[in-house]
Amino acid sequence: MTAATLLAHGSAQSQLSFHLYGLLNAGGTRADVVDLLFISAGLLGFPTAINAVPIVRDILADRDETKNVAGAQTSPAVPDMPSDRFAVLDRIAPDFVNWREHTLGEEIFGAVHLEPRLAHLASAAMLAARGKVGASFDAHIVSALAAGATDSDIVEMVIQLSVYSGFPAALNAAGRARNVLAAPERPQASTQKGVDTTKDDEKRFMRGVATLAETSGGSGADVVDSFKDVAPGLGRLIVAHCYGDIFCRPALDPKVRELGAISALAAQGTVAAEKPLGVHIDAALNLGATPEEIVETLFNIIPYAGYPLIEKALLIAHDRISLFDDKQVDGSPSDHRTLDMCSG
């Protein structure tokens, strides 16, 4: 639970490293650590998982545990969405419902072989640490209980949360957990068979490769290779889902989509979000965004994120814009193309 909470924190790298070592010392395996990366990618976003990969790589190298370890035959199932919520989302955003089932349910949670009870407790801890104590938190508590967790397990998770994420987060989680524990009926366990997480079709992956090159100037092969020694499926999933499913969609102009990503990352304000923020500032510049548009995008979220976070984001933007300008002086201008990248 401690490692899950610190992963969600996003700015506690040294403590995360310390407690991942502790997890291994307490009998955890390489597979357990990688499972936490996949869970965090699905529940908190890919930057959280990506930022932790170098930490995990160093820890596993020190422990000489760089080879994959075969997991169990079952994976934790993503909790079902309430029917009323499903009906609304299926009407207004059917692609989201499909991604929740396929990407979150099969490609992410299907890659996890951590005991379902522990996987759902870790999921609840991550959500609570980020302040996301709502229906999804409740659902993971319910799923943990269904998989054999006790009331004491839930209470101890909340107590642990208070130490590493503070009393406000723990108190919010405690209130929601109390309501779940007071429910008159306890659900049945729900697991799914392990699935092949490399099954995404080649067309989808190659669409992601093209979109990545078009927006960020990056290489899909480089992304995949950067994860192959720790979590091989994670790099391919980033390309296929983030770029092949989402960033290629034509409803938003690619530049506008990048400015939206900048907003989201700046508002997080964590160390884990800093490198992706720079990547998406670069992409926005590559797609024709002006420095003024990037600065105004950051100004627009001051009321929602506060001055300290935007101060940090503006400094990151200054560095990226300066590097971009230097490249223009060197005679290598960007190609500001805007294609319907989801076609084909």
Side-chain angles (χ1 to χ4, degrees):
M1 296 310 99
T2 302
T5 300
L6 292 169
L7 258 175
H9 191 287
S11 296
Q13 280 71 14
S14 61
Q15 294 93 331
L16 175 61
S17 177
F18 180 83
H19 285 284
L20 286 175
Y21 273 117
L23 173 60
L24 294 172
N25 290 336
T29 67
R30 175 196 189 281
D32 295 336
V33 174
V34 173
D35 283 348
L36 291 177
L37 293 181
F38 272 88
I39 292 172
S40 69
L43 298 184
L44 305 176
F46 284 94
T48 298
I50 293 169
N51 179 260
V53 166
I55 297 172
V56 171
R57 179 179 290 118
D58 290 344
I59 290 170
L60 297 180
D62 287 347
R63 299 292 295 248
D64 193 25
E65 296 186 37
T66 56
K67 294 183 179 180
N68 283 313
V69 178
Q73 295 303 305
T74 59
S75 300
V78 174
D80 291 333
M81 190 187 302
S83 58
D84 57 341
R85 181 176 295 194
F86 178 90
V88 173
L89 289 171
D90 195 41
R91 185 175 70 252
I92 66 171
D95 286 334
F96 176 84
V97 173
N98 291 334
W99 291 332
R100 187 181 188 276
E101 178 181 353
H102 175 67
T103 302
L104 180 62
E106 296 181 10
E107 294 183 313
I108 293 179
F109 272 77
V112 172
H113 298 295
L114 191 65
E115 179 189 345
R117 175 182 69 92
L118 296 177
H120 288 298
L121 285 171
S123 297
M126 287 182 187
L127 291 169
R130 277 285 181 90
K132 299 178 179 180
V133 186
S136 294
F137 172 84
D138 296 352
H140 282 287
I141 294 293
V142 168
S143 295
L145 292 168
T150 64
D151 291 18
S152 178
D153 290 334
I154 307 301
V155 170
E156 290 301 321
M157 183 269 290
V158 172
I159 292 172
Q160 195 81 351
L161 184 69
S162 71
V163 178
Y164 293 97
S165 197
F167 283 103
L171 289 171
N172 287 336
R176 301 287 303 208
R178 181 179 60 240
N179 293 336
V180 174
L181 295 176
E185 296 181 3
R186 293 291 170 88
Q188 299 299 311
S190 176
T191 58
Q192 63 185 40
K193 292 182 179 180
V195 297
D196 179 6
T197 57
T198 63
K199 72 177 186 178
D200 53 276
D201 59 278
E202 190 66 16
K203 183 178 179 181
R204 175 179 173 235
F205 176 74
M206 293 309 298
R207 188 169 63 225
V209 169
T211 304
L212 176 63
E214 195 69 43
T215 58
S216 301
S219 162
D222 289 343
V223 173
V224 174
D225 287 346
S226 66
F227 296 93
K228 66 181 181 180
D229 60 331
V230 174
L234 189 58
R236 185 174 179 87
L237 183 59
I238 290 169
V239 176
H241 183 51
C242 297
Y243 290 92
D245 286 338
I246 298 174
F247 268 72
C248 69
R249 294 169 64 83
L252 285 179
D253 177 82
K255 182 182 79 171
V256 173
R257 198 175 286 279
E258 292 296 341
L259 293 175
I262 289 169
S263 294
L265 291 162
Q268 287 185 30
T270 63
V271 172
E274 290 179 5
K275 185 174 181 180
L277 175 59
V279 168
H280 287 283
I281 289 171
D282 290 346
L285 293 167
N286 289 337
L287 290 167
T290 66
E292 291 77 15
E293 287 174 321
I294 292 171
V295 169
E296 287 297 328
T297 296
L298 295 174
F299 284 174
N300 203 49
I301 55 175
I302 290 173
Y304 311 104
Y307 280 89
L309 296 188
I310 305 311
E311 177 183 323
K312 179 169 66 172
L314 285 166
L315 293 173
I316 292 172
H318 173 266
D319 290 342
R320 303 314 304 173
I321 291 168
S322 296
L323 287 172
F324 181 82
D325 288 343
D326 289 344
K327 290 180 181 178
Q328 306 309 296
V329 172
D330 289 342
S332 51
S334 293
D335 184 1
H336 301 318
R337 290 172 287 178
T338 56
L339 304 180
D340 178 358
M341 292 175 287
C342 268
S343 63

